[in-house]
């Protein structure tokens, strides 16, 4: 018996447009916020303040070792309850995912910063540059270049992870696909289409990042 | 009477049970060049790094011009207020160049004058161009370190050190990482600086260079200064077996 495709089930432009907007918004916002927070945490990880290092390590341990799905659900339901605060639902939903990204990118930045040759620090210190001047002008620019592949990789994972937000009723691509499926009983068409949307959104991002990476490659410019 | 410009007294640096620098005293007059020789692991780099405050000495005192810093128990005991001026009065050139790979030669040289000394960007770049000119690399101002030969990279590093207008230049085996045919161009720059009346402290394995350029030669052995004096005298008439053996091993380069 062969399956008969019925692509008309997919036809709901306005729902998909909204869904794309929501996915892109969450993808960009939680990735950017997560990277910024991750950078700060990464800097704390290599700082000389041991209490900060310990606290950040603990945070990273917790957020790297629990599923993103649990973090999302927990922040959506438990966090506002535990602190007895009124958090807008959209923010609560994004929080878990942002911290998840922050935990992973903090490790990327830490590794990147520590991979820069000791000689760079010596040279800067000998030139009387301060710790933060060295970090800002010399260490971080090299870290970003060196870590671009890892950062892009993590951002792509993050972008796809926004699909998990559908469990807390964020109307993203995944949520819309599920809703359409229960309406039309056409999971194959609907989810294939959803997958295509993710590819169309993420692929260009990845290839742009790859080009940026090549532009950065001053080492092989000899 | 000439007053010593640099005066190091009883400097000691230990790492756990390893004694890297052991009771080293050294003096140098302004405008003079001292060369430090000695076999691998005898504490030459550690000594320079202590002087540049890249490492905190365990004990001892160091004076440059009017600024004195003293150390006890791996901490600075006095001279905290003079430490920055002390450090600013010298700049170091490293064996591994350690240029900033993401910046052009020009920016490598002009960065510290801009952010440390507060020069305007145009001023700093003007200064950088002048210094690149004098190491014969003005045409490489826009090149990245990855596009330079080892000898060129080291000359940029020298320009970078000069840009801070230091009163003393420290060289830690500045030519050891270079292909033999590139050593000459870097030594020539150092030689010029010595002739110009800069105060230089040069750690080197180039004995012929040390003999021709240095006013004073220090022979380090196991963290100590075993012999010091005029290079010719030391080399032609070593007083210790250690120095004799050391010179013998390096006889090749001396005769060349
Ligand atoms: N950070 C450090 N921790 C522990 N030991 C060190 C450290 N730096 C140097 N040492 C030790 O101190 C001693 C002197 O080292 P140093 O690098 O000053 O020698 P060097 O004379 O410069 O040798 P080379 O000619 O190989 O450069 C060595 O025994 C070395 O192992
Ligand atoms: Mg050394």
């Amino acid at each position: 018996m062969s399956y008969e495709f019925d692509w008309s089930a997919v036809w709901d432009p306005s729902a998909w447009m909204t869904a794309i907007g929501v996915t892109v918004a969450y993808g960009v916002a939680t990735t950017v916020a997560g990277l910024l927070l991750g950078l700060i945490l990464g800097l704390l990880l290599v700082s000389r303040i041991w209490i900060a290092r310990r606290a950040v390590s603990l945070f990273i341990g917790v957020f790297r070792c629990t599923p993103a799905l649990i973090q999302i659900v927990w922040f959506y339901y438990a966090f506002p309850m535990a602190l007895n605060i009124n958090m807008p639902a959209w923010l609560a939903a994004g929080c878990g995912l942002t911290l998840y990204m922050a935990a992973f990118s903090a490790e990327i930045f830490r590794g990147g910063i520590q991979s820069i040759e000791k000689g760079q620090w010596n040279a800067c210190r000998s030139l009387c540059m301060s710790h933060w001047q060295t970090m800002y002008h010399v260490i971080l620019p090299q870290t970003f270049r060196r870590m671009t592949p890892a950062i892009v990789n993590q951002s792509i994972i993050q972008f796809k992870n926004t699909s998990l937000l559908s469990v807390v009723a964020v109307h993203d691509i995944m949520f819309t696909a599920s809703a359409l499926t229960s309406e039309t009983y056409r999971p194959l068409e609907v989810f294939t289409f959803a997958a295509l949307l993710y590819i169309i959104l993420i692929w260009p991002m990845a290839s742009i990042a790859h080009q940026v990476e090549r532009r950065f490659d001053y080492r092989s410019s000899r | 009477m000439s007053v010593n410009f640099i005066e190091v007294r009883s400097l000691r640096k230990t790492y756990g049970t390893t004694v890297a620098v052991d009771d080293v005293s050294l003096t140098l007059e302004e405008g003079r060049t001292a060369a430090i020789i000695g076999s691998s692991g005898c504490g030459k780099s550690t000594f320079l790094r202590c002087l540049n405050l890249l490492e905190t000495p365990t004990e001892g005192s160091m004076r440059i011009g009017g600024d004195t810093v003293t150390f006890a128990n791996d901490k600075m005991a006095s001279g905290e207020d003079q430490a920055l001026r002390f450090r600013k009065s010298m700049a170091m050139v490293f064996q591994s160049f350690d240029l900033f790979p993401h910046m052009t030669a020009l920016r490598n040289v002009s960065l510290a004058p801009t952010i440390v000394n507060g020069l305007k960007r145009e001023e700093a770049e003007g200064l950088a161009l002048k210094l690149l000119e004098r190491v014969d690399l003005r045409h490489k101002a826009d090149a990245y370190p990855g596009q330079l030969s080892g000898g060129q990279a080291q000359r940029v590093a020298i320009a970078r050190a000069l840009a801070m207008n230091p009163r003393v230049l420290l060289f830690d085996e500045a030519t050891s990482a270079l292909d033999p045919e590139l050593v000459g161009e870097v030594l020539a720059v150092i030689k010029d600086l010595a002739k110009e009346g800069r105060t230089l402290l040069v750690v080197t394995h180039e004995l012929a260079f040390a003999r021709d350029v240095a006013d004073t030669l220090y022979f380090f052995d196991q963290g100590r200064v075993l012999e010091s004096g005029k290079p010719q005298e030391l080399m032609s008439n070593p007083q210790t077996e250690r120095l004799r053996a050391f010179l013998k091993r390096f006889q090749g380069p001396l005769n060349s």
Side-chain angles (χ1 to χ4, degrees):
Chain A
M1 200 181 90
S2 70
Y3 184 85
E4 277 197 25
F5 283 92
D6 178 9
W7 290 100
S8 70
V10 168
W11 186 252
D12 191 348
S14 78
W16 286 120
M17 287 316 284
T18 316
I20 289 172
V22 169
T23 291
V24 169
Y26 270 104
V28 171
T30 62
T31 302
V32 171
L35 280 173
L36 285 176
L37 187 58
L39 176 59
I40 294 167
L41 296 180
L43 286 171
L44 287 174
L45 272 180
V46 297
S47 77
R48 275 165 281 185
I49 315 159
W50 73 270
I51 187 111
R53 288 201 307 268
R54 291 296 277 282
V56 174
S57 303
L58 185 68
F59 166 87
I60 291 175
V62 169
F63 277 84
R64 280 211 305 185
C65 301
T66 45
L69 189 55
I70 293 183
Q71 290 167 25
I72 290 165
V73 172
W74 193 83
F75 267 88
Y76 192 74
Y77 295 111
F79 184 66
M81 206 156 40
L83 293 185
N84 199 18
I85 51 169
N86 249 332
M87 221 184 199
W90 64 266
L91 185 61
C95 257
L97 216 45
T98 300
L99 294 180
Y100 183 81
M101 178 75 182
F104 279 92
S105 42
E107 271 301 316
I108 294 174
F109 288 124
R110 180 198 60 77
I113 291 168
Q114 288 178 341
S115 78
I116 305 297
E117 296 69 21
K118 265 273 186 289
Q120 297 283 302
W121 286 99
N122 282 334
C124 291
R125 206 168 143 68
S126 180
L127 293 166
C128 293
M129 288 164 62
S130 70
H131 180 85
W132 289 113
Q133 284 175 332
T134 305
M135 198 55 109
Y136 180 78
H137 292 282
V138 175
I139 305 299
L140 285 183
Q142 293 183 65
T143 301
F144 293 147
R145 287 161 167 81
R146 195 171 288 186
M147 292 292 121
T148 310
I151 292 168
V152 169
N153 205 32
Q154 194 59 45
S155 302
I156 289 174
I157 293 173
Q158 175 76 354
F159 226 89
K160 291 189 297 181
N161 274 349
T162 55
S163 63
L164 299 172
L165 290 169
S166 60
V167 298
V168 291
V170 169
H171 289 219
D172 72 332
I173 293 176
M174 187 67 187
F175 182 91
T176 304
S178 306
L180 263 184
T181 302
S182 43
E183 241 171 67
T184 61
Y185 304 104
R186 285 283 171 185
L188 192 53
E189 290 85 344
V190 170
F191 281 105
T192 305
F193 183 71
L196 276 175
L197 286 183
Y198 277 111
I199 290 172
I200 291 167
L201 289 178
I202 295 172
W203 199 303
M205 222 173 65
S207 52
I208 289 171
H210 189 66
Q211 273 167 17
V212 171
E213 196 182 315
R214 278 182 31 196
R215 279 258 301 282
F216 272 166
D217 198 4
Y218 45 81
R219 255 178 294 265
S220 64
S221 48
R222 189 189 281 260
Chain B
M1 190 191 90
S2 61
V3 177
N4 286 319
F5 180 55
I6 303 179
E7 193 170 352
V8 178
R9 280 174 177 237
S10 311
L11 197 76
R12 237 174 103 79
K13 174 68 187 176
T14 57
Y15 297 101
T17 54
T18 312
V19 184
V21 173
D22 191 4
D23 196 22
V24 167
S25 298
L26 174 150
T27 56
L28 190 62
E29 289 168 28
E30 187 151 31
R32 296 304 172 102
T33 297
I36 298 174
I37 57 171
S39 42
S40 182
C42 68
K44 307 179 297 291
S45 297
T46 308
F47 175 73
L48 279 201
R49 294 170 53 79
C50 282
L51 195 59
N52 203 196
L53 297 183
L54 296 175
E55 303 276 353
T56 309
T58 306
E59 274 160 46
S61 78
M62 313 188 285
R63 177 177 66 75
I64 292 185
D67 302 311
T68 309
V69 285
T70 66
F71 299 86
N73 300 320
D74 284 302
K75 283 198 199 75
M76 198 178 286
S78 75
E80 203 91 48
D81 50 328
Q82 295 162 43
L84 183 65
R85 252 209 336 258
F86 181 90
R87 209 143 56 78
K88 266 194 172 176
S89 59
M90 65 197 123
M92 187 144 156
V93 175
F94 302 88
Q95 179 175 353
S96 45
F97 327 141
D98 299 320
L99 292 178
F100 310 133
H102 59 300
M103 294 179 187
T104 61
L106 186 73
R107 190 75 186 129
N108 261 280
V109 180
S110 66
L111 177 70
T114 322
I115 63 176
V116 178
N117 291 346
L119 257 59
K120 289 211 193 64
R121 196 173 173 134
E122 309 82 72
E123 285 176 313
E125 285 180 353
L127 172 71
L129 279 175
K130 259 202 337 241
L131 290 170
L132 286 174
E133 173 92 65
R134 69 162 298 187
V135 295
D136 244 335
L137 285 173
R138 199 190 161 108
H139 59 292
K140 291 288 184 186
D142 294 322
Y144 285 86
Q147 299 166 308
L148 300 174
S149 74
Q152 291 171 334
Q154 192 60 297
R155 284 186 283 147
V156 172
I158 293 173
R160 182 177 69 175
L162 287 172
M164 291 303 279
N165 203 18
R167 302 174 70 184
V168 183
L169 276 165
L170 312 175
F171 291 89
D172 188 5
E173 296 192 33
T175 58
S176 293
L178 297 176
D179 292 338
E181 77 266 25
L182 301 177
V183 169
E185 63 189 63
V186 173
L187 290 184
V189 172
I190 303 176
K191 208 171 207 163
D192 279 347
L193 292 169
K195 270 202 212 124
E196 233 173 62
R198 296 257 179 188
T199 312
L200 310 181
L201 212 54
V202 185
V203 168
T204 184
H205 284 306
E206 304 286 334
L207 294 191
F209 174 79
R211 183 190 57 198
D212 298 343
V213 177
D215 300 293
T216 320
L217 187 66
Y218 286 84
F219 173 61
F220 273 47
D221 186 60
Q222 298 181 332
R224 292 173 163 271
V225 176
L226 208 57
E227 293 193 40
S228 64
K230 292 243 166 289
Q232 281 90 346
E233 284 169 24
L234 236 66
M235 287 185 185
S236 56
N237 189 18
Q239 297 298 307
T240 58
E241 192 47 49
R242 303 282 295 185
L243 178 55
R244 211 166 300 141
F246 177 82
L247 291 173
K248 204 163 183 179
R249 265 189 291 139
F250 281 88
Q251 213 139 48
L254 245 190
N255 293 340
S256 67

